[in-house]
Amino acid sequence: MEYNEINELLGRMRKKKQDHLRYMQYPANKEEVYQLFRSVQKQYNTELSPVYRSILLLTNGFNENGVILYGTKTCLIEGYKKDMHIEGFLEANENWKHNIDFANHIVYAESDTYLFAQSSKTNLYSCNAQGD
């Protein structure tokens, strides 16, 4: 997926949210994305997906229709006065590494049903049903 396609898709998502008086997360800055990139290289001996890095520069994670895309760090969801958070990538993956089925994966996003992950051994991407 190209940057322009991602930007267009997130633009439609942003418009839909604004129509309902909700907001997208602010974009991560280049330094935040770089620091996450370096941390993942060091901790998992793999590289972050270029598509994920592009998304973070447009929106620092999201929680939309039951899909949570992790941000560069745990942060409040924009536009909510309640204590609702989007989990940060490193924090979320710290929890996933204790799950025997995903100990050798990095997870980018989750829903109630699926995990969107990358094998840290083969670098292959997968969408895995949770509990399978």
Side-chain angles (χ1 to χ4, degrees):
M1 185 174 264
E2 297 292 324
Y3 180 83
N4 289 339
E5 292 174 297
I6 295 167
N7 196 21
E8 182 181 321
L9 178 65
L10 290 173
R12 288 194 310 258
M13 209 162 115
R14 183 175 289 110
K15 170 84 172 93
K16 192 178 243 186
K17 281 182 167 280
Q18 288 172 343
D19 290 347
H20 298 285
L21 301 175
R22 295 173 33 222
Y23 305 96
M24 295 285 287
Q25 295 299 105
Y26 289 105
N29 64 49
K30 288 181 181 179
E31 182 61 26
E32 290 171 316
V33 174
Y34 177 74
Q35 288 302 321
L36 178 60
F37 177 80
R38 297 291 296 155
S39 294
V40 169
Q41 280 183 320
K42 184 178 178 182
Q43 291 179 29
Y44 298 98
N45 198 31
T46 194
E47 292 189 5
L48 283 176
S49 157
V51 171
Y52 178 68
R53 289 181 291 177
S54 294
I55 291 170
L56 291 175
L57 293 170
L58 297 168
T59 181
N60 196 358
F62 61 74
N63 183 341
E64 185 66 27
N65 292 327
V67 176
I68 301 165
L69 179 81
Y70 306 133
T72 56
K73 61 183 180 258
T74 299
C75 58
L76 289 171
I77 296 176
E78 295 298 326
Y80 281 87
K81 295 181 189 224
K82 300 177 192 174
D83 189 29
M84 295 182 68
H85 293 84
I86 292 175
E87 199 166 13
F89 184 92
L90 294 174
E91 296 92 341
N93 278 279
E94 181 64 28
N95 293 326
W96 286 115
K97 79 177 188 180
H98 299 293
N99 179 316
I100 194 161
D101 294 326
F102 296 100
N104 294 313
H105 289 77
I106 55 173
V107 179
Y108 291 94
E110 65 179 276
S111 71
D112 290 339
T113 310
Y114 296 102
L115 293 177
F116 305 92
Q118 176 185 359
S119 168
S120 55
K121 290 184 175 184
T122 64
N123 284 330
L124 293 176
Y125 297 94
S126 60
C127 178
N128 304 286
Q130 290 195 54
D132 281 356

